[in-house]
């Protein structure tokens, strides 16, 4: 969900306002995607690299995640089930504060009964860390350390039930791949747009979905 800072800058607002607008837009995007019968929507909320941002900005982004994971009524109204991917809380190096851990676990529990779209939020997520951990776990769970299999990696991703990605969306004119779902995006279409994340609207969603439907 890139471009919150640029969205704010263009309006002469502090970056934090951009993040707030981004979180509000996510709520709308979730509603529209659920309405379009999207099965899985996975969003990059906060990366393992984002912790080095100024503390006030990090604090603000964390509070927005608390808000996002607290939107239980809306999620239930839209039949959306919450999932999370990221560095496990008990792993060395995990920086997720307890109040976010609680918000994540509570949202998962409170939406577990929903049968519609699965919204997976990547928080303290990095694809390379995920793959390294998957390889290490595959090695210890298989008979031979020399023989790590594709299936062994797939089975040990943070969320092994996440299906392969159909379309990757890159907002705010970024025409590069980031540290996001590197294993899962093989073969995916990529939708590039100049729009910043807070301006990513229904028309944009439909353009991205067209790439999938036109396959
Ligand atoms: C994305 O917006 C939000 C997070 C990475 C948490 P940015 O903050 O990266 O916005 P730009 O790239 O500076 O415009
Ligand atoms: Mg950015």
């Amino acid at each position: 969900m890139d471009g919150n800072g640029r969205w704010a800058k263009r309006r002469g607002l502090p970056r934090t306002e951009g993040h707030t607008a981004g979180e509000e837009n996510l709520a709308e995007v979730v509603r529209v995607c659920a309405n379009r019968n999207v099965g899985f929507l996975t969003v990059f909320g906060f990366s393992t690299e984002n912790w080095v941002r100024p503390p006030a900005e990090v604090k603000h982004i964390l509070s927005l995640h608390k808000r996002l994971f607290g939107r239980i009524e809306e999620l239930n109204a839209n039949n959306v089930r919450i999932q999370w991917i990221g560095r496990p809380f008990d792993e060395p190096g995990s920086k997720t504060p307890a109040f976010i851990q609680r918000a994540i676990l509570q949202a998962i529990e409170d939406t577990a009964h929903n049968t519609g779209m699965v919204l997976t939020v990547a928080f303290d997520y990095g694809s390379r860390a995920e793959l390294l951990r998957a390889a290490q776990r595959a090695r210890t769970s298989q008979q031979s350390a020399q023989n790590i299999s594709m299936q062994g990696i797939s089975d040990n991703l943070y969320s092994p039930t996440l299906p392969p990605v159909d379309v990757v969306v890159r907002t705010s004119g970024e025409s590069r791949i980031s540290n996001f779902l590197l294993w899962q995006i093989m073969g995916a279409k990529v939708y590039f747009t100049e729009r910043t994340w807070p301006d990513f609207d229904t028309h944009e969603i439909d353009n991205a979905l067209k790439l999938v439907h036109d396959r």
Side-chain angles (χ1 to χ4, degrees):
M1 297 183 283
D2 214 351
N4 293 344
R6 278 163 278 183
W7 182 92
K9 194 171 178 198
R10 272 178 217 151
R11 286 162 178 76
L13 298 168
R15 294 179 59 82
T16 46
E17 289 298 313
H19 295 310
T20 301
E23 195 276 332
E24 279 161 16
N25 193 48
L26 174 59
E28 179 64 11
V29 169
V30 167
R31 194 186 62 76
V32 174
C33 286
N35 206 259
R36 297 285 190 272
N37 289 318
V38 169
F40 292 81
L41 174 66
T42 305
V43 294
F44 209 165
F46 197 77
S47 78
T48 48
E49 290 83 31
N50 284 152
W51 294 106
V52 300
R53 290 191 179 206
E57 186 177 350
V58 170
K59 192 172 169 215
H60 186 77
I61 295 172
L62 293 186
S63 76
L64 289 170
H65 277 80
K66 185 160 190 275
R67 184 181 293 180
L68 153 65
F69 288 112
R71 290 181 182 266
I72 303 300
E73 228 171 277
E74 280 167 69
L75 293 165
N76 284 340
N78 289 304
N79 198 20
V80 173
R81 187 155 62 87
I82 285 272
Q83 292 281 57
W84 159 74
I85 51 172
R87 186 164 23 201
F89 304 143
D90 58 358
E91 212 167 82
S94 165
K95 293 186 191 69
T96 305
F99 79 101
I100 296 293
Q101 295 185 20
R102 280 195 298 273
I104 289 172
L105 297 175
Q106 194 66 50
I108 291 172
E109 190 181 319
D110 291 347
T111 62
H113 58 281
N114 290 330
T115 55
M117 187 173 82
V118 175
L119 170 65
T120 305
V121 180
F123 182 91
D124 195 21
Y125 175 85
S127 188
R128 285 190 166 190
E130 176 183 37
L131 288 170
L132 177 61
R133 176 177 173 276
Q136 287 164 339
R137 288 165 65 100
R139 187 181 57 195
T140 46
S141 66
Q142 287 175 209
Q143 295 98 332
S144 165
Q146 274 73 48
N147 245 338
I148 297 171
S149 65
M150 296 271 189
Q151 196 63 46
I153 304 273
S154 290
D155 289 348
N156 285 288
L157 297 172
Y158 291 142
S159 178
T161 54
L162 211 60
V165 172
D166 290 317
V167 58
V168 178
V169 170
R170 287 280 3 212
T171 57
S172 67
E174 299 289 349
S175 52
R176 59 185 172 80
I177 293 299
S178 66
N179 192 16
F180 191 51
L181 304 178
L182 296 175
W183 181 274
Q184 297 89 333
I185 63 174
M186 192 196 79
K189 299 284 182 74
V190 188
Y191 179 72
F192 295 108
T193 175
E194 293 296 320
R195 293 276 183 110
T196 57
W197 173 254
D199 283 333
F200 189 83
D201 61 10
T202 303
H203 181 68
E204 291 285 320
I205 294 170
D206 287 335
N207 279 344
L209 290 177
K210 256 185 228 153
L211 290 183
V212 186
H213 295 135
D214 291 351
R215 264 200 304 216

